[in-house]
Amino acid sequence: MAFLEIENLSFTYPNCAEKALDGVNISVSEGSLCLVVGKSGSGKSTLLRLLKKEIAPSGKISGKIKIVTDNIGFVSQNVESNIVTDTVSSELAFSLENKGVGREKAGLKIAETASYFNLNGIYNDKTDSLSGGTKQLLSLASVVISNPDMIIFDEPVSQLDPISAENFLNTVLKLNREQGITILISSHKIDKLLPVADKIIYLENGRADTFDKPQEFADFLLESSSNFKSVLPAYTQVLSGAPIDFITAKKQISDAQFAENHIDIIDDNEKALFAKNLCFAYKKGQKNVLFRLNFCAYKGKINAVVGANGSGKTTLLKILSGIYKPYSGKVKAHGKICYMPQNVKTMFLKDTVFEELDCDEVCLKQFGLEHLKYRNPFDLSGGEEQRLAIAKIVKTGADIILLDEPTKSVDAPFKAELAEMLKSLCRKGKTVVIVTHDLEFAGRYCDFASFLFDSDIIVSDERKRFFANLDVYTTVLSRLTNGRAICVDDIKGYNE
């Protein structure tokens, strides 16, 4: 008998004509690692939440879900919502207390778990002081402490910087391989997971295809006409034989031919927004989040800011937008500014997607939201939420658009659509500033990039020079080619 068996599962949300899931059949073996992929709105989050009854969505369901255990952990994409207490120690103790575990046994279990996840140094810290990467690791530790038989992850690294994301996924793999915990994980970032997955579950329009070998899945996408193939690692897309792991790609990259490298010229006089000597701390006497920071965004360009979780990127955007006031320094902007927060749910005030867009049919179609017209915004998938939020921002007509993690939880095809939308706005004279952990997106589509570290912008440069000069905090193709290629467009013959 399979560890998890799903038979002819269908699900429809309230007030929706279309099924979110339609006749899904899946079998999962105990101890396996299953990667769940698909476009935003394909049913990934719905499927995963239906597997844990405590968080299952409301709606009409048919078919069967058979799981040999009720001991299931869940880690969502929302880093903040995963944390329920105010200290690291109480967070680790929370689930044990709910299960009535005795103090002595609980103390030993907490010590063991804190050591395993290397949380000893922050054991007495407040959870609101932790970086996003540490919070997500703590949320995983809080699940593991209850000895789950299966852990479900819904886009767990969508809000993490590349280094934190890699560390988190390494821990997930370790739990699977060393403790035999069955893993189901959905992600739009599959470079790390694809080569090691035991099974790929591919959802499209609520229906599922399964692949027992990752290479079969990669070959299937590359041979199909689907634009979802862009979810594959860049080297899988451009190299012959479609290698799915970095080491194999490294051996083959010498056969690739590189496109001519054009460096964009930036006119230093075209500054739409600049900040000078910004200093900011959340409370008087606390450590500075930003100190003597200088930043500029060029008119008609996509300007990216990258850096680790907790480095101050979101704080910078909030200062640029006027939400926060620095205690020293100044900001000057040429035009109206509009800001999209990282938690886009805070932007939603109406009962339907259509109402959120002021009943604008054109905007609804432009952002691919027609089929969600009458859906409640809080019933959307993470990617669909991002689409709606970006649509609302664009509708403001602002001259300077500030976007905090705009590609969070969105699928690869929409990233390309989003890039074209942003470039179209830039061609009309708009200025875009994005804070992002998505180095692949920034490396392919931004015009200018800045690195925020230790309270200041330490380097700003034209896109290709910026990423070529980095060895770790850069795109996968830049690492593979030592900076000769930054994105798939830099490989000769791609899309020709």
Side-chain angles (χ1 to χ4, degrees):
M1 179 180 175
F3 185 81
L4 166 65
E5 193 79 37
I6 298 174
E7 298 178 1
N8 202 30
L9 177 64
S10 294
F11 181 83
T12 306
Y13 281 97
N15 303 318
C16 290
E18 294 185 4
K19 294 179 180 179
L21 296 173
D22 186 9
V24 172
N25 293 282
I26 295 170
S27 179
V28 174
S29 300
E30 183 176 5
S32 61
L33 188 151
C34 297
L35 175 60
V36 183
V37 297
K39 294 181 180 180
S40 298
S42 61
K44 301 188 303 298
S45 294
T46 302
L47 173 64
L48 295 179
R49 289 182 177 274
L50 285 172
L51 301 181
K52 188 170 174 63
K53 57 185 178 182
E54 294 88 349
I55 57 172
S58 299
K60 182 180 179 181
I61 186 171
S62 63
K64 295 181 180 180
I65 299 175
K66 302 175 184 177
I67 311 178
V68 300
T69 180
D70 290 326
N71 191 10
I72 301 171
F74 193 96
V75 179
S76 76
Q77 59 188 284
N78 191 331
V79 175
E80 302 298 331
S81 68
N82 287 330
I83 305 295
V84 296
T85 68
D86 62 349
T87 65
V88 173
S89 57
S90 60
E91 188 70 21
L92 290 173
F94 183 76
S95 62
L96 297 179
E97 291 174 353
N98 284 345
K99 290 186 175 183
V101 178
R103 179 176 296 182
E104 184 176 345
K105 185 176 180 181
L108 179 60
K109 190 65 179 175
I110 290 170
E112 178 187 36
T113 304
S115 299
Y116 185 88
F117 286 90
N118 196 27
L119 300 174
N120 306 58
I122 60 168
Y123 181 71
N124 294 306
D125 288 5
K126 294 285 189 179
T127 52
D128 61 7
S129 70
L130 306 178
S131 69
T134 305
K135 284 180 179 178
Q136 198 69 316
L137 195 63
L138 173 60
S139 67
L140 176 57
S142 301
V143 167
V144 171
I145 203 168
S146 295
N147 294 323
D149 298 308
M150 178 167 72
I151 305 178
I152 299 169
F153 298 87
D154 188 8
E155 295 285 347
V157 299
S158 63
Q159 297 185 45
L160 304 187
D161 66 71
I163 305 302
S164 296
E166 183 167 357
N167 291 338
F168 183 88
L169 292 176
N170 282 337
T171 303
V172 172
L173 294 176
K174 186 178 179 182
L175 290 169
N176 174 251
R177 298 305 190 239
E178 294 183 2
Q179 297 191 29
I181 298 175
T182 304
I183 302 291
L184 264 71
I185 180 167
S186 73
S187 182
H188 290 302
K189 301 175 182 179
I190 68 172
D191 296 41
K192 181 78 175 178
L193 295 167
L194 182 62
V196 297
D198 298 301
K199 177 170 287 191
I200 311 295
I201 300 171
Y202 173 48
L203 287 166
E204 185 174 14
N205 298 322
R207 302 189 68 85
D209 287 318
T210 59
F211 300 84
D212 291 327
K213 295 182 179 179
Q215 189 66 59
E216 291 176 352
F217 170 68
D219 294 340
F220 164 79
L221 281 186
L222 291 172
E223 292 169 5
S224 73
S225 58
S226 172
N227 57 2
F228 189 68
K229 66 183 68 176
S230 54
V231 74
L232 295 170
Y235 47 75
T236 308
Q237 299 177 53
V238 300
L239 296 178
S240 61
I244 60 173
D245 66 281
F246 188 89
I247 300 301
T248 303
K250 188 74 173 177
K251 296 175 181 177
Q252 295 183 19
I253 195 63
S254 59
D255 296 331
Q257 293 183 308
F258 303 106
E260 187 176 350
N261 196 11
H262 294 287
I263 301 295
D264 296 329
I265 304 299
I266 303 291
D267 186 347
D268 198 49
N269 294 318
E270 289 293 307
K271 295 178 180 178
L273 173 70
F274 69 88
K276 186 175 181 180
N277 291 327
L278 290 186
C279 296
F280 179 86
Y282 282 100
K283 290 183 180 180
K284 187 175 181 179
Q286 284 188 345
K287 180 181 177 182
N288 285 296
V289 179
L290 304 177
F291 187 68
R292 294 181 180 176
L293 180 145
N294 296 299
F295 172 78
C296 70
Y298 292 99
K299 182 179 180 181
K301 303 293 181 182
I302 301 175
N303 304 263
V305 180
V306 303
N309 287 101
S311 61
K313 302 185 300 300
T314 294
T315 302
L316 174 60
L317 278 195
K318 289 184 175 180
I319 292 174
L320 296 177
S321 67
I323 296 174
Y324 291 163
K325 300 296 182 184
Y327 70 78
S328 181
K330 64 179 181 179
V331 175
K332 186 173 182 179
H334 300 289
K336 176 185 174 183
I337 296 177
C338 193
Y339 164 71
M340 187 188 84
Q342 190 169 142
N343 182 7
V344 297
K345 287 182 183 292
T346 60
M347 298 174 61
F348 304 150
L349 305 171
K350 304 295 179 62
D351 293 329
T352 68
V353 169
F354 197 40
E355 290 173 294
E356 287 286 355
L357 297 178
D358 301 323
C359 301
D360 187 335
E361 294 279 4
V362 174
C363 189
L364 199 71
K365 184 176 181 180
Q366 180 186 4
F367 286 86
L369 297 167
E370 307 102 305
H371 64 297
L372 303 169
K373 186 175 182 177
Y374 298 114
R375 180 83 66 86
N376 188 296
F378 292 93
D379 285 337
L380 302 179
S381 71
E384 291 164 346
E385 290 175 355
Q386 292 296 107
R387 284 177 181 254
L388 177 56
I390 293 167
K392 285 176 65 84
I393 290 293
V394 171
K395 273 184 65 65
T396 66
D399 303 294
I400 301 171
I401 299 172
L402 310 180
L403 304 175
D404 196 349
E405 296 293 347
T407 65
K408 180 188 71 176
S409 302
V410 302
D411 57 56
F414 182 66
K415 288 181 185 182
E417 294 175 30
L418 172 61
E420 182 50 42
M421 291 174 195
L422 297 181
K423 288 184 177 295
S424 176
L425 291 170
C426 289
R427 288 192 289 269
K428 296 174 182 177
K430 308 289 187 181
T431 301
V432 177
V433 180
I434 65 170
V435 155
T436 185
H437 292 312
D438 192 341
L439 302 184
E440 301 300 324
F441 182 85
R444 188 174 187 184
Y445 298 117
C446 76
D447 300 294
F448 204 72
S450 302
F451 200 117
L452 180 53
F453 172 77
D454 194 26
S455 307
D456 193 12
I457 297 292
I458 59 169
V459 65
S460 295
D461 207 343
E462 184 273 341
R463 172 183 63 90
K464 291 184 179 179
R465 281 196 301 260
F466 178 87
F467 285 103
N469 287 327
L470 293 168
D471 297 318
V472 178
Y473 219 89
T474 187
T475 67
V476 65
L477 276 184
S478 184
R479 293 199 305 272
L480 197 66
T481 65
N482 296 320
R484 294 185 66 189
I486 307 301
C487 64
V488 291
D489 301 318
D490 299 327
I491 301 295
K492 193 172 183 180
Y494 181 76
N495 274 341
E496 290 183 1

